[in-house]
Amino acid sequence: MIFRYLTSSFFTDYVNCTQMLQKQNRPYTHIIIEIEEGLNFALPIRHGIKHPYAFFTDDKKTQGLDYSKAVLIVDVSKYIDNTRVAIINGKEYYKIVQKENFIIKQFVSYINLYKKAYKKQNIESYKILCSMSCLQYFHLELGIEQ
């Protein structure tokens, strides 16, 4: 697990994706999820999270890795800025790196929940989950749509 920033190319290419966070100096944790051939995701570190789909790094459960705003990185060399390391709060850093395997399992569960919710959007809570998630921009890569 490494901490990086996304490139300006990412923000340019996904400018019309309204659920994506547009703060270019937001740190992300770059993880590889072994779903079939392995997919690269960037999970944003956020403060002010108001839903349960996150790995929380504080006692108030408002800060941490926001799964709903995770993005799939289709081109690592183009979209992950490897020229600089993202600097994050020391407490958050240690909580995240110590729980890497747990975070990956939890995030895979979130992806599976999203896929289930997508098929059952007649249920209001599932419709809201799908409308707020950045995974909606990566259905082809996730095997949801052909």
Side-chain angles (χ1 to χ4, degrees):
M1 181 176 294
I2 57 172
F3 298 90
R4 297 283 190 245
Y5 296 103
L6 301 180
T7 63
S8 59
S9 294
F10 176 85
F11 294 102
T12 300
D13 291 352
Y14 290 98
V15 69
N16 294 323
C17 300
T18 57
Q19 287 303 315
M20 287 188 185
L21 303 172
Q22 296 298 318
K23 183 178 172 185
Q24 291 197 23
N25 282 323
R26 178 182 305 281
Y28 282 76
T29 183
H30 176 206
I31 62 172
I32 299 171
I33 305 291
E34 292 302 326
I35 302 172
E36 296 175 21
E37 294 183 18
L39 299 174
N40 284 276
F41 287 91
L43 283 62
I45 298 171
R46 293 187 71 198
H47 297 176
I49 299 170
K50 297 178 180 170
H51 57 77
Y53 309 113
F55 173 77
F56 294 105
T57 57
D58 70 327
D59 294 335
K60 294 180 183 177
K61 296 194 179 230
T62 59
Q63 300 176 16
L65 296 175
D66 188 342
Y67 299 148
S68 73
K69 300 304 177 190
V71 294
L72 196 148
I73 304 297
V74 296
D75 185 341
V76 173
S77 63
K78 183 177 179 184
Y79 294 142
I80 298 288
D81 183 351
N82 284 314
T83 64
R84 58 190 181 133
V85 175
I87 305 300
I88 65 169
N89 174 289
K91 284 184 181 179
E92 283 186 301
Y93 174 84
Y94 288 111
K95 285 185 179 186
I96 292 168
V97 297
Q98 289 176 341
K99 294 288 189 170
E100 181 175 357
N101 290 331
F102 176 79
I103 290 166
I104 291 170
K105 287 178 187 175
Q106 205 174 44
F107 182 61
V108 169
S109 293
Y110 173 77
I111 293 170
N112 291 331
L113 175 64
Y114 177 87
K115 289 178 177 182
K116 177 183 174 183
Y118 181 75
K119 293 177 184 176
K120 297 181 178 185
Q121 290 189 59
N122 58 318
I123 300 169
E124 188 63 22
S125 61
Y126 283 172
K127 183 178 180 179
I128 292 168
L129 184 147
C130 290
S131 70
M132 301 302 285
S133 178
C134 289
L135 295 182
Q136 67 183 289
Y137 307 115
F138 303 102
H139 285 181
L140 183 63
E141 295 85 355
L142 293 171
I144 295 172
E145 294 177 359
Q146 302 302 323

